[in-house]
Amino acid sequence: MFIDYTKILIKSGDGGNGAVTFRREKYVSAGGPDGGDGGKGGDVYFVVDPDANTLINFRYNKRYMAEDGQKGSGGHCYGKGGEDLYIKVPIGTVLKDAETGKVIVDLSKPGQTELVFPGGKGGKGNSHFATSTRQAPQFAQGGEKGIEKEVILELKILADVRTHRISECR
């Protein structure tokens, strides 16, 4: 079966939240804030696959999501970044926004890799908000949300048309 048009949902990863933690040790009475930052969400890339020639794989799997970043933790530990998502498409695929119909990217070169939706940034931990007057902040920054869109994949077909000259018989 040859499929040259499909609609799918794509989401880049959310950024992880910053942590609200404080350093507490046996002989350190007022250790202060030590919340780590959240990890970055995974990006969504489209990659031209030279072996593919149809969009049949997208007919059955309609949702593609990159991994979210993990939240930060105590001891100024940063959260792990989310895994990037690589979606393989055949050469000549055009990616369009489903709402507006605007072309996002045209994948027409062999080996082409395009970043389509970046992941959300991770939030800052409470150690970033400590000042001389606010020494124990009880808050942290939340991570940014990833981009979620419904997109249309269209496969451009290149036809090999040869014209033959028809001679008129008299």
Side-chain angles (χ1 to χ4, degrees), residues 10-69:
I10 299 173
K11 184 180 183 305
S12 61
D14 297 337
N17 295 331
V20 179
T21 59
F22 296 92
R23 180 173 172 218
R24 296 289 179 245
E25 296 177 15
K26 186 174 183 180
Y27 298 107
V28 180
S29 60
D34 70 347
D37 298 347
K40 180 186 177 302
D43 299 332
V44 177
Y45 291 92
F46 275 83
V47 180
V48 173
D49 184 12
D51 298 329
N53 57 7
T54 182
L55 298 173
I56 190 72
N57 296 338
F58 299 102
R59 182 174 185 178
Y60 305 108
N61 190 4
K62 298 279 188 182
R63 297 176 59 95
Y64 294 88
M65 295 186 202
E67 190 178 55
D68 294 339

Side-chain angles (χ1 to χ4, degrees), residues 83-103:
E83 288 288 320
D84 294 338
L85 175 66
Y86 292 90
I87 301 173
K88 294 182 179 182
V89 294
I91 193 165
T93 303
V94 178
L95 184 71
K96 294 181 181 179
D97 189 347
E99 292 178 12
T100 62
K102 182 180 175 187
V103 175

